[in-house]
Amino acid sequence: MAVADLALTSPDITWGQRIDDRFAGQTGAETPRLVVSGVPAGTVELAVVCHDPDAPMPHGFTHWTLYGLPPVDGELSVARGRPGPHDDDGFGYVGPFPPFGHGDHHYYFWVYALSRKVEGTPDRATFLDTYADAVIEQARLVATYSR
């Protein structure tokens, strides 16, 4: 698996910086815009995962899974994707909401270029286990949030 060309950026989130409150779980949970570039040849679809490994849970906390995105460069159209489950018992994007006083949490937004389509709407762990062999490239954008 290569990680050379695929890139993930956002006009709403800056690498390593604090995520704005408008994207947080307790203040609106607006879905941030994501932009992908360098989609490799052979990509059948893109998938997005947002995960907080700092959450005080055994496997962190998944904030977003999104499947079935077209394999093209540019801003990802959430409406064209298929929302998967997050760890707050729902589907789609759920914004950051770490415990008060818990310090900075890191939010990893991942994009995966896949050689085959994702079937259904697996949770993060199932997706990673089932589709690891289909990942052509992956890229991430990391930001923080605390309250």
Side-chain angles (χ1 to χ4, degrees), residues 102-135:
H102 206 251
D104 283 344
H105 280 223
H106 295 81
Y107 295 84
Y108 286 73
F109 292 83
W110 290 94
V111 64
Y112 298 91
L114 303 168
S115 63
R116 69 176 192 271
K117 292 182 182 239
V118 174
E119 299 297 325
T121 54
D123 62 26
R124 177 183 152 271
T126 302
F127 164 71
L128 293 173
D129 287 344
T130 304
Y131 294 92
D133 65 330
V135 176

Side-chain angles (χ1 to χ4, degrees), residues 56-82:
M57 301 168 73
H59 300 286
F61 190 95
T62 300
H63 286 265
W64 195 14
T65 55
L66 185 64
Y67 306 110
L69 294 162
V72 296
D73 286 359
E75 186 171 325
L76 297 176
S77 172
V78 174
R80 293 189 67 191
R82 193 171 59 257

Side-chain angles (χ1 to χ4, degrees), residues 18-32 50 52 61-63 86 88 92-100 107 109 144-147:
R18 185 178 188 277
I19 296 170
D20 189 271
D21 286 338
R22 72 180 191 214
F23 303 107
Q26 72 279 4
T27 54
E30 184 180 320
T31 304
C50 177
D52 170 9
F61 190 95
T62 300
H63 286 265
H86 54 66
D88 199 27
Y93 174 78
V94 60
F97 57 96
F100 283 106
Y107 295 84
F109 292 83
T144 63
Y145 191 80
S146 61
R147 53 187 194 140

Side-chain angles (χ1 to χ4, degrees), residues 8-24:
L8 183 64
T9 59
S10 173
D12 299 320
I13 297 171
T14 301
W15 182 279
Q17 300 299 307
R18 185 178 188 277
I19 296 170
D20 189 271
D21 286 338
R22 72 180 191 214
F23 303 107

